Amino acid sequence: MIKYKLIDPILNAWDWIKRDWREHHIRFIIEVLCWANSLACSFLINSTVPDPPWLLLYPMYITGTSAYAWCAWSRGSFGMLITFTMLAAMDAWGFTRIIGH
């Protein structure tokens, strides 16, 4: 009986993932792509320190946070929408400073 209790969180998470897929295929795919984009950005930053390729990274990150903002809007999550919109705006500002420098 204890074995089943240990696997319940995994099964519940799997059910949630399937439900999320059924509710909105496009949003699910975009969120998975954003997740991969975030990992790629982190890998690139960490593997190129002290001189990360900001001309590549900023557009990647801005695209990902903008897409996450849309996903938050489609979920009806105001807090996440504002957070990701602000992150995209701040990084767009930083990107314009790099381009203009």
Side-chain angles (χ1 to χ4, degrees):
M1 191 118 185
I2 291 176
K3 282 194 276 186
Y4 296 110
K5 290 192 181 282
L6 294 175
I7 200 164
D8 282 348
I10 295 168
L11 295 174
N12 289 339
W14 183 246
D15 287 340
W16 179 78
I17 291 167
K18 291 188 297 187
R19 187 172 54 250
D20 196 38
W21 168 257
R22 283 191 303 269
E23 286 177 8
H24 204 300
H25 297 327
I26 300 298
R27 181 181 60 217
F28 184 89
I29 292 167
I30 290 172
E31 286 179 338
V32 170
L33 291 173
C34 288
W35 169 72
N37 182 60
S38 294
L39 289 177
C41 286
S42 292
F43 176 78
L44 285 170
I45 288 170
N46 291 316
S47 63
T48 58
V49 167
D51 292 316
W54 293 117
L55 292 175
L56 171 67
L57 287 166
Y58 262 130
M60 284 176 65
Y61 191 74
I62 294 164
T63 300
T65 53
S66 298
Y68 268 137
W70 176 83
C71 292
W73 175 79
S74 74
R75 285 188 182 282
S77 177
F78 179 74
M80 285 178 53
L81 171 62
I82 294 303
T83 299
F84 284 116
T85 300
M86 289 179 68
L87 287 171
M90 288 187 294
D91 287 319
W93 177 52
F95 186 52
T96 60
R97 293 192 61 193
I98 283 179
I99 292 173
H101 192 262

